[in-house]
Amino acid sequence: MAGPDKPTSSFVFFTSSNSSKQFITWEIFELKAELNSDKKEKKKEAVKKVIASMTVGKDVSALFPDVVNCMQTDNLELKKLVYLYLMNYAKSQPDMAIMAVNTFVKDCEDPNPLIRALAVRTMGCIRVDKITEYLCEPLRKCLKDEDPYVRKTAAVCVAKLHDINAQLVEDQGFLDTLKDLISDSNPMVVANAVAALSEIAESHPSSNLLDLNPQSINKLLTALNECTEWGQIFILDCLANYTPKDDREAQSICERVTPRLSHANSAVVLSAVKVLMKFMEMLSKDLDYYGTLLKKLAPPLVTLLSAEPELQYVALRNINLIVQKRPEILKHEMKVFFVKYNDPIYVKLEKLDIMIRLASQANIAQVLAELKEYATEVDVDFVRKAVRAIGRCAIKVEQSAERCVSTLLDLIQTKVNYVVQEAIVVIKDIFRKYPNKYESVIATLCENLDSLDEPEARAAMIWIVGEYAERIDNADELLESFLEGFHDESTQVQLQLLTAIVKLFLKKPTETQELVQQVLSLATQDSDNPDLRDRGYIYWRLLSTDPVAAKEVVLAEKPLISEETDLIEPTLLDELICYIGTLASVYHKPPSAFVEGGRGVVHKTLPPRTASNESTESPETAPAGAPPGEQPDVIPAQGDLLGDLLNLDLGPPVSGPPLATSSVQMGAVDLLGGGLDSLMGDEPEGIGGTNFVAPPTAAVPANLGAPIGSGLSDLFDLTSGVGTLSGSYVAPKAVWLPAMKAKGLEISGTFTRQVGSISMDLQLTNKALQVMTDFAIQFNRNSFGLAPAAPLQVHAPLSPNQTVEISLPLSTVGSVMKMEPLNNLQVAVKNNIDVFYFSTLYPLHILFVEDGKMDRQMFLATWKDIPNENEAQFQIRDCPLNAEAVSSKLQSSNIFTVARRNVEGQDMLYQSLKLTNGIWVLAELRIQPGNPSCTVRLSLKCRAPEVSQHVYQAYETILKN
């Protein structure tokens, strides 16, 4: 905005509240006179004063009619000021704003293109319904104006008008005109048309506005070279939403986008990186161009790190994603991620993370030297992260483990408290990765026992003592020293201490009998923590009934841990790559996680890979030819839904009795509307308080051989609910892999569960002209650990036009990783021709186990204990079955009825089921006999609410088939 031509010293703003009101009244009176002056210069000065007052927050709406009268002028500067005022006050004075419409319409036909553009822009910014009706005709003319400046302004105005009145824009045909502007000769018009269409498409994801094809893509790429930097960003973001028809088109687009990597604007660079990362998925790794592209991507990313710290942070968060997807891009650029003394802490921590991701055998020496240096810094948070990074390097690069351990021991010798504690935590992980290799350092660790005051470090040290109790002479004394203040410890330490003492007892039973009884008593009788009590009861039950089984469970061989545990889940990573350069890439969360409402939450994903682009090193899929059992177990991330729900020691998934998780809180609201208590008649003793009745210490003889008291009999009733042969519903076979996508191999299949065994029933058909042999199958990691329990047996070569049916047994002890959706299964099938990939959704009811019947008391306790927000409500329509038929049908699929009653003519069924990973789901079914709509109402409660939707789908499938 231009300033006044001469100082306006008389224009004073008072701060005194008493005098300011009088002043404003006087000032408005004076301004009114000046606005109606015949002298143009005086009028212009008056409007400037009005805008100045408006800018500092004074209410000058009383001058609306006088300012609107000033619109009738040829002076462009005055017109701009009046339009600015109108935009601000039109909403509060809609009736007065109508007065300006005629001037707007007239200005839209002004010979000066600047005035035409100004008029249409202002009309678009005035969000008053009455004015939008008059805007249509001028806007239609401006969209086809001869001047490109007017056209580009009108394009943006369509998006603004769509935001106010979407129906009007569609009825007037503006969207079609906007699509035509993508073919405009002026690059800025093209960019603005793309920006407007993208904005509209974002708020209406179902509309196919940006229907891109090779011709329109060519026009966008041509405009890309000539428009402004923000125009380039709009076009690049639009290109990123396009899926090329083949790898040749993808390469052609990449070649034309690559020059944008050298742009000075970092937003343009990141948008170009996003397009290239997405289209690289379609390029074969064998191409020379693929290698060239990898080399070209590194320098611009490195250049971004020389900007100011805030931009560096955004760049680093994006690089973190890129390195997880394609580490080879920056594998030679380790030094740029070394921390500088003047980097802010948020940049330092992010650089550390990327250093670990890029660490390899080739650069581990310099990485460790840097990390050791960082561990002597003054910033405590940074030092902790550096020490933890040394441990992560040891786990990631096996050849460096010895050097890492020796570095950690040097740091422990510094006796700096927080360094020692952090080192002990990471050494515990190193022991887990390399068992029986570095245990010689335990003595050094034990020397620092007294200095540990942080829960994580104490828990790690207790784990080490329990795990290697047979090598530590005074292990019982060490653990007993922790036991003295048991109730003052954090839950993490208490749980670890309980497990460690049970391990010690199993290794040295004669010396530690008293110790184990003491800890079991503390954990069950004297504790209010449900997790601790449950674990205590489980160990107590195990030790008293079958010490051999206890040994197998508690001292089982631990699965290997992996550096991959902190990687972003592959499906989420693919989505985030599509959002490089946006807030989603900084938060490392999809937009749906932080954008309210329906705008901008379209799920994006990378295009499908070409067959030759599958990398055997990819963390997502192991080589398909490898036998199913060869993959090492990898522990899921700590926060994983299907990780260790009770935070146990992560033994093999199949070991141990069923885990019951319940802390009974009868004081809580009865979530079943007061009905569930009456199922059980009078409340039994001991269920009314917050604890179960723990077995009295006197009832347990010294040898722990006596059975546990009645308070635990139901909790560990392993036989409860085991039915006869269960024949759960089997869906008809569906085509999972069409022949046209698998070089003539067609795969159809379904899943079954019979007598506790899960099978994948496959039908392989050879529609090719050659014989198929050497079949093998492999699953990617999935939510419930499904994996082939035997090789894929095709006993004879599969001739052309021949079909073979195979039942492949499945186990649930494979590697676990949360999928989206939860029941997604990615499969690789190999034969003598090629490796083929497909994904399918398995029905959740194949995971419902035969011992899923919960006793009534446990059902009541668990229902009340699960938070109210975990309850999900569903309706199953068109289900004409009565309660007996429903109960019978569901029981055949391992959904067990715990209790049944009739309330006001409604049949109520209370049911329980258990998944293979120990997750319990409780259900309440309401069935209205004789209801013409045949609707069954279903309420589900579960500690892992993510499974509820899939359990409901299982209910619906079983009841309707």
Side-chain angles (χ1 to χ4, degrees):
M1 188 201 311
D5 292 341
K6 57 187 178 182
T8 52
S9 54
S10 60
F11 194 65
V12 183
F13 301 126
F14 288 109
T15 53
S16 161
S17 57
N18 294 332
S19 55
S20 65
K21 286 181 184 174
Q22 296 171 355
F23 174 77
I24 289 170
T25 309
W26 167 80
E27 183 187 41
I28 284 176
F29 179 77
E30 189 184 61
L31 285 171
K32 204 177 185 77
E34 287 181 18
L35 286 168
N36 291 306
S37 165
D38 295 332
K39 295 180 179 175
K40 285 185 181 179
E41 203 55 42
K42 204 168 187 182
K43 196 179 273 192
K44 190 164 115 183
E45 286 303 313
V47 174
K48 284 182 182 178
K49 289 177 188 177
V50 171
I51 298 295
S53 296
M54 183 180 84
T55 307
V56 295
K58 290 190 175 184
D59 182 12
V60 283
S61 57
L63 297 169
F64 198 93
D66 306 287
V67 175
V68 168
N69 284 338
C70 299
M71 282 177 75
Q72 307 290 343
T73 175
D74 298 331
N75 187 308
L76 185 59
E77 188 185 356
L78 179 57
K79 205 175 270 290
K80 277 184 181 177
L81 291 170
V82 174
Y83 280 176
L84 195 63
Y85 176 90
L86 271 174
M87 278 189 253
N88 202 43
Y89 284 115
K91 200 160 191 177
S92 59
Q93 308 258 0
D95 296 329
M96 298 290 287
I98 295 291
M99 292 164 50
V101 166
N102 284 336
T103 312
F104 279 133
V105 174
K106 187 179 165 193
D107 282 354
C108 284
E109 295 179 358
D110 194 277
N112 185 341
L114 291 176
I115 289 180
R116 295 202 298 276
L118 186 64
V120 79
R121 177 191 291 139
T122 309
M123 285 178 86
C125 291
I126 295 175
R127 302 177 66 85
V128 176
D129 285 338
K130 291 179 182 175
I131 287 187
T132 53
E133 298 165 23
Y134 299 99
L135 174 59
C136 294
E137 273 314 306
L139 181 57
R140 187 175 281 106
K141 286 179 184 172
C142 289
L143 280 167
K144 295 181 178 172
D145 198 281
E146 60 188 19
D147 192 282
Y149 181 75
V150 180
R151 293 200 300 277
K152 87 177 183 73
T153 309
V156 177
C157 187
V158 173
K160 290 177 180 174
L161 184 59
H162 189 275
D163 202 33
I164 302 166
N165 191 336
Q167 195 58 48
L168 181 70
V169 170
E170 287 165 28
D171 294 346
Q172 293 287 337
F174 289 143
L175 293 180
D176 294 328
T177 314
L178 210 50
K179 287 179 189 174
D180 294 340
L181 288 182
I182 289 181
S183 307
D184 199 276
S185 57
N186 185 285
M188 271 319 298
V189 177
V190 174
N192 278 23
V194 166
L197 283 169
S198 300
E199 177 81 14
I200 295 167
E202 205 172 77
S203 57
H204 291 72
S206 54
S207 62
N208 192 19
L209 289 176
L210 280 163
D211 185 15
L212 299 171
N213 53 50
Q215 290 72 34
S216 55
I217 288 292
N218 193 35
K219 287 168 184 166
L220 292 182
L221 287 165
T222 306
L224 187 62
N225 299 320
E226 299 170 43
C227 57
T228 66
E229 51 195 20
W230 298 111
Q232 289 180 34
I233 292 167
F234 289 132
I235 291 175
L236 287 167
D237 286 349
C238 179
L239 287 172
N241 293 328
Y242 175 64
T243 304
K245 64 178 186 296
D246 55 30
D247 54 347
R248 287 181 62 184
E249 189 186 358
Q251 182 176 338
S252 165
I253 294 172
C254 288
E255 284 169 352
R256 295 177 70 178
V257 168
T258 308
R260 299 302 109 211
L261 292 172
S262 54
H263 202 283
N265 186 320
S266 52
V268 175
V269 173
L270 283 176
S271 290
V273 168
K274 171 169 62 183
V275 174
L276 296 173
M277 284 291 290
K278 196 168 178 186
F279 290 174
M280 275 173 81
E281 286 290 302
M282 298 188 68
L283 301 180
S284 166
K285 291 192 174 183
D286 304 331
L287 284 174
D288 291 341
Y289 179 71
Y290 182 87
T292 309
L293 196 53
L294 285 179
K295 287 176 188 166
K296 285 183 177 175
L297 275 168
L301 293 172
V302 170
T303 306
L304 291 175
L305 299 181
S306 54
E308 51 268 35
E310 294 79 9
L311 277 179
Q312 274 188 56
Y313 179 72
V314 171
L316 287 165
R317 292 294 281 174
N318 281 278
I319 287 169
N320 200 326
L321 296 174
I322 292 164
V323 164
Q324 287 184 56
K325 187 70 186 170
R326 300 202 181 277
E328 61 270 30
I329 292 175
L330 289 161
K331 67 180 178 185
H332 300 303
E333 304 291 344
M334 176 64 86
K335 284 191 175 175
V336 298
F337 299 106
F338 286 173
V339 171
K340 296 176 186 165
Y341 75 95
N342 59 347
D343 280 339
I345 183 66
Y346 54 88
V347 170
K348 284 181 176 177
L349 295 178
E350 206 56 43
K351 281 185 173 179
L352 259 185
D353 216 28
I354 295 169
M355 278 171 66
I356 298 159
R357 298 205 191 289
L358 291 175
S360 64
Q361 201 177 338
N363 57 26
I364 194 70
Q366 58 181 156
V367 170
L368 275 179
E370 278 289 309
L371 293 175
K372 192 173 180 182
E373 193 74 27
Y374 301 160
T376 58
E377 291 275 340
V378 290
D379 189 309
V380 177
D381 286 338
F382 180 53
V383 171
R384 284 177 182 279
K385 184 105 180 200
V387 175
R388 201 155 280 210
I390 295 170
R392 281 174 63 188
C393 286
I395 291 165
K396 185 175 181 187
V397 186
E398 189 170 343
Q399 295 80 357
S400 74
E402 199 160 327
R403 192 182 293 173
C404 291
V405 171
S406 118
T407 305
L408 289 167
L409 288 176
D410 291 346
L411 292 172
I412 288 174
Q413 297 306 331
T414 63
K415 301 293 181 189
V416 178
N417 189 268
Y418 55 85
V419 174
V420 172
Q421 305 206 66
E422 212 54 61
I424 285 173
V425 171
V426 297
I427 285 174
K428 183 202 93 168
D429 290 339
I430 292 170
F431 285 170
R432 288 291 305 278
K433 175 72 173 177
Y434 309 109
N436 305 316
K437 205 166 177 188
Y438 299 109
E439 283 72 16
S440 55
V441 306
I442 291 175
T444 312
L445 303 183
C446 290
E447 289 168 13
N448 295 279
L449 205 69
D450 297 335
S451 65
L452 306 181
D453 53 18
E454 293 171 12
E456 196 177 2
R458 288 172 77 83
M461 193 66 224
I462 290 166
W463 182 89
I464 291 168
V465 174
E467 189 68 17
Y468 301 102
E470 70 279 11
R471 303 184 189 200
I472 304 170
D473 297 334
N474 61 338
D476 51 341
E477 291 171 23
L478 295 176
L479 292 176
E480 199 168 358
S481 67
F482 284 104
L483 208 55
E484 288 161 10
F486 185 79
H487 289 302
D488 299 327
E489 299 283 5
S490 70
T491 305
Q492 183 182 10
V493 176
Q494 288 177 336
L495 287 165
Q496 203 60 264
L497 189 53
L498 171 60
T499 302
I501 291 176
V502 171
K503 284 180 185 174
L504 177 65
F505 171 72
L506 291 167
K507 291 174 181 179
K508 301 179 180 178
T510 50
E511 304 159 38
T512 54
Q513 208 156 292
E514 277 184 41
L515 191 60
V516 79
Q517 279 191 276
Q518 190 185 347
V519 78
L520 287 172
S521 176
L522 284 168
T524 55
Q525 289 174 303
D526 305 340
S527 172
D528 290 335
N529 184 303
D531 287 345
L532 184 62
R533 277 206 319 271
D534 286 346
R535 191 184 290 195
Y537 283 132
I538 289 166
Y539 286 154
W540 201 327
R541 176 71 170 181
L542 268 173
L543 292 170
S544 63
T545 52
D546 192 348
V548 177
K551 207 161 190 172
E552 285 175 6
V553 172
V554 179
L555 301 181
E557 194 176 325
K558 309 291 181 290
L560 292 177
I561 65 169
S562 161
E563 168 56 19
E564 287 178 18
T565 51
D566 70 326
L567 294 176
I568 293 174
E569 185 206 348
T571 47
L572 175 58
L573 180 62
D574 285 354
E575 185 175 356
L576 292 177
I577 291 289
C578 300
Y579 286 108
I580 283 176
T582 68
L583 263 182
S585 67
V586 178
Y587 287 157
H588 287 189
K589 291 179 181 175
S592 54
F594 59 88
V595 176
E596 288 186 5
R599 294 174 70 90
V601 292
V602 186
H603 283 289
K604 298 182 181 179
T605 186
L606 295 177
R609 293 175 180 79
T610 56
S612 56
N613 199 15
E614 259 326 313
S615 161
T616 51
E617 290 92 44
S618 164
E620 295 161 68
T621 315
E630 277 185 11
Q631 250 183 314
D633 284 330
V634 177
I635 295 177
Q638 188 80 40
D640 199 307
L641 155 73
L642 298 158
D644 179 28
L645 290 175
L646 278 181
N647 197 23
L648 287 168
D649 267 346
L650 292 154
V654 289
S655 303
L659 308 179
T661 50
S662 66
S663 70
V664 187
Q665 294 180 332
M666 295 292 283
V669 181
D670 183 354
L671 302 172
L672 285 179
L676 201 57
D677 291 312
S678 58
L679 286 176
M680 299 162 56
D682 293 330
E683 209 172 76
E685 195 80 36
I687 294 283
T690 53
N691 304 351
F692 284 106
V693 180
T697 314
V700 185
N703 66 359
L704 288 172
I708 304 299
S710 61
L712 286 174
S713 59
D714 285 332
L715 182 60
F716 297 103
D717 182 6
L718 306 189
T719 57
S720 166
V722 179
T724 53
L725 301 189
S726 63
S728 61
Y729 166 70
V730 180
K733 285 191 177 82
V735 176
W736 288 341
L737 183 66
M740 60 183 290
K741 289 189 176 179
K743 300 182 181 176
L745 174 64
E746 181 177 280
I747 300 178
S748 305
T750 186
F751 294 90
T752 62
R753 183 183 185 94
Q754 294 291 337
V755 205
S757 300
I758 305 171
S759 301
M760 178 192 258
D761 292 349
L762 295 167
Q763 181 176 294
L764 308 181
T765 304
N766 181 357
K767 295 191 175 180
L769 298 175
Q770 65 187 100
V771 173
M772 294 182 180
T773 58
D774 305 330
F775 284 90
I777 192 166
Q778 184 155 352
F779 296 175
N780 200 355
R781 291 181 288 171
N782 54 80
S783 304
F784 293 89
L786 279 177
L792 183 62
Q793 300 283 0
V794 181
H795 295 294
L798 195 60
S799 306
N801 296 319
Q802 187 184 352
T803 296
V804 64
E805 299 209 343
I806 301 154
S807 184
L808 178 70
L810 305 183
S811 71
T812 53
V813 295
S815 297
V816 172
M817 178 178 73
K818 186 179 176 186
M819 299 296 287
E820 186 61 50
L822 209 60
N823 59 336
N824 188 17
L825 181 66
Q826 296 173 343
V827 183
V829 173
K830 171 181 124 25
N831 63 13
N832 59 321
I833 298 172
D834 206 343
V835 181
F836 308 106
Y837 303 92
F838 65 90
S839 64
T840 183
L841 301 179
Y842 49 89
L844 212 66
H845 66 260
I846 65 166
L847 303 172
F848 298 171
V849 297
E850 283 66 23
D851 62 339
K853 186 166 185 180
M854 194 179 267
D855 101 342
R856 291 184 176 197
Q857 290 183 359
M858 275 299 300
F859 185 94
L860 170 63
T862 309
W863 184 282
K864 292 189 173 186
D865 189 46
I866 295 174
N868 202 16
E869 56 268 22
N870 283 24
E871 184 172 357
Q873 307 277 351
F874 302 98
Q875 289 187 354
I876 302 170
R877 300 184 187 281
D878 304 320
C879 179
L881 304 173
N882 61 22
E884 287 84 1
V886 166
S887 181
S888 168
K889 205 163 194 182
L890 293 172
Q891 180 146 348
S892 68
S893 291
N894 295 336
I895 301 173
F896 299 96
T897 301
V898 175
R900 177 185 166 189
R901 64 196 182 100
N902 190 287
V903 181
E904 297 174 359
Q906 273 193 335
D907 284 325
M908 313 280 282
L909 296 180
Y910 300 100
Q911 298 183 318
S912 69
L913 63 95
K914 189 169 76 166
L915 299 172
T916 49
N917 59 356
I919 292 178
W920 284 93
V921 182
L922 309 187
E924 178 197 65
L925 279 168
R926 293 170 183 257
I927 303 162
Q928 183 81 51
N931 182 355
S933 70
C934 303
T935 298
V936 174
R937 297 183 187 281
L938 173 66
S939 299
L940 294 175
K941 278 191 109 174
C942 178
R943 292 185 194 282
E946 293 91 337
V947 305
S948 295
Q949 177 67 32
H950 301 281
V951 172
Y952 152 67
Q953 287 166 1
Y955 263 89
E956 190 170 44
T957 304
I958 295 162
L959 291 177
K960 288 190 175 182
N961 290 283

